[in-house]
Amino acid sequence: MAGRNGRTVHDLRRGNRTVVLQRLYFDGPLSRFELAPATGLSGGSISNVVAELVADGLVEEAGTVESDGGRPRTLLRVAPAGGHMIGVDVGETRVRVELFDLTLTELARTERPLERQGYDVEVIVGHIRDGITEVLAETGIAPEQLLGVGIGVPGIVARTPEQGAVVHGQTIGWDAVPLESLLRSTCELPDSVPYFIDNGARTLGHAEMWFGAGRGARSAVVVLFGSGVGACLVTQEVEQGRSVEWGHLTVRVRGRRCRCGALGCLDAYAGAEALLDRWREEGGHPPEGTDEETALTAMLAAAHPAEATEADPAALAVLDEAAEYLGAGLSDLINLFQPERILIGGWAALQLGPRILPAVRRYATAYALRHPAGRVSIDLGGLGPDAVTVGAAILPLAEFFAGGGQREIPSGRGGKRPSVAR
């Protein structure tokens, strides 16, 4: 039966389950007594919801705590074994696949380097398929136990009724690649396991806002700094985040040609691939036969060598110019969106960030309007190299929470029935 606002009893029950699960997830362990004021639910509702979640294997006891003059109170927490998710990072140098429990504790991982094959679609799909098979076999987790597979990819992701997620990755040569349908036909996962495919900058944004330096921020821009650059905008109006093709803002008319084919993109001046190209053009010597991460490490070492060695002026000049372009690009984000925080993550940020961040801040402030520039902080992300993978795993987790710890699976009779993870 629907109420005056159109919500049914099922909707109310699902909403109550969601709020309890989320409160325990982020603030637990908590007692039933603490959950009532924390969620705004009555004591009776808390008792009913907790009993359901315990019966479903999603919540478990986590010890006791003394109360004032009464019996000890039982603490509750989200049960780690209540569900499992896989996160995949289709990165610039490797495909990383990780399996997590419900509390996002890593249970297994595998990596597949990307070498000369680059972003060949069949190679990428094969790496994802093999990685999923490997982490499930290592842990003994049955595919049916998965809440979903989240995948962060370069490019714009759209959805079609026929093919699901389709990736438009102009910089990697992907033109409307039906990635979801390719995975469905290749990976041996049951139809009940959903795929969540999204832009890598957005999955990084999820990770930073849930567990990293973005926690508590009302608005933030999370930057992915790798071979290229991208960004995710999170505001109160766009709580789940929206990826923006920041790397393809024009920063120089008739400038360098970008990987996307256009001239003067920020990506052509600030991405790691462009930095190495420019260092080479200025007379630098990136090590041959190595991946971008190794070559960028060599560039940083050349620019900031040991005390007894002279710095490479070409490497220094390229890094300083990159800091200016990054700062100028951030100033556009500051002026357009006026965020509370800007967080810079990604493998290139992990390598270069400690060296160039002060200059990036200085240039961002110089190019931005004074008022929004004075209200924003610019810092490195709080998570490490697994941030995109963690953020990808958050996609099915967030969907699971939104459903109150239940998911719809095919019933075998043309419809769907609710299910909980086991």
Side-chain angles (χ1 to χ4, degrees), residues 10-11 37 65 74 81 89-90 114 118 120 165 206 237 270 285 291 302 305 314 316 333 371 391:
H10 176 72
D11 293 332
V65 63
T74 300
D89 176 10
V90 179
L114 294 178
D120 180 89
H206 275 290
E237 293 77 24
H285 300 284
D291 61 25
L316 276 172
L333 297 175
H371 178 69

Side-chain angles (χ1 to χ4, degrees), residues 159-180:
R159 295 195 63 83
T160 70
E162 300 80 16
Q163 297 178 311
V166 176
V167 182
H168 302 268
Q170 192 166 323
T171 60
I172 61 173
W174 284 16
D175 183 13
V177 170
L179 184 59
E180 183 173 347

Side-chain angles (χ1 to χ4, degrees), residues 11 18 69 106 148 166 177-178 182 187 208 233-234 242-243 248 298 307 318 320 336 360 364 375-376 378:
D11 293 332
T18 293
E106 180 191 307
V166 176
V177 170
L182 290 173
C187 298
E208 289 291 348
L233 170 68
V234 182
R242 175 168 58 88
S243 60
H248 301 288
E307 293 183 7
V318 170
D320 185 64
L336 285 170
V360 170
R375 296 160 56 90
V376 66
I378 302 174

Side-chain angles (χ1 to χ4, degrees), residues 254-270:
R254 294 187 296 275
R256 292 174 57 87
R257 189 166 297 280
C258 177
R259 299 181 299 167
C260 74
L263 297 176
C265 294
L266 176 63
D267 206 307
Y269 293 91

Side-chain angles (χ1 to χ4, degrees), residues 243-299:
S243 60
V244 291
E245 290 296 328
W246 176 58
H248 301 288
L249 291 176
T250 301
V251 294
R252 188 165 183 171
V253 177
R254 294 187 296 275
R256 292 174 57 87
R257 189 166 297 280
C258 177
R259 299 181 299 167
C260 74
L263 297 176
C265 294
L266 176 63
D267 206 307
Y269 293 91
E273 181 179 312
L275 297 187
L276 294 170
D277 287 343
R278 288 161 58 211
W279 185 32
R280 191 178 293 109
E281 291 165 5
E282 295 297 323
H285 300 284
E288 298 296 332
T290 60
D291 61 25
E292 283 185 359
E293 294 186 36
T294 303
L296 195 65
T297 299
M299 181 181 179

Side-chain angles (χ1 to χ4, degrees), residues 201-203 205-206 220-223 230-234 240-244:
R202 188 164 180 253
T203 66
H206 275 290
V221 172
V222 182
V223 169
C232 172
L233 170 68
V234 182
Q240 298 305 314
R242 175 168 58 88
S243 60
V244 291

Side-chain angles (χ1 to χ4, degrees), residues 117 131 256 338 392:
Q117 311 101 320
R256 292 174 57 87
Q338 301 181 29

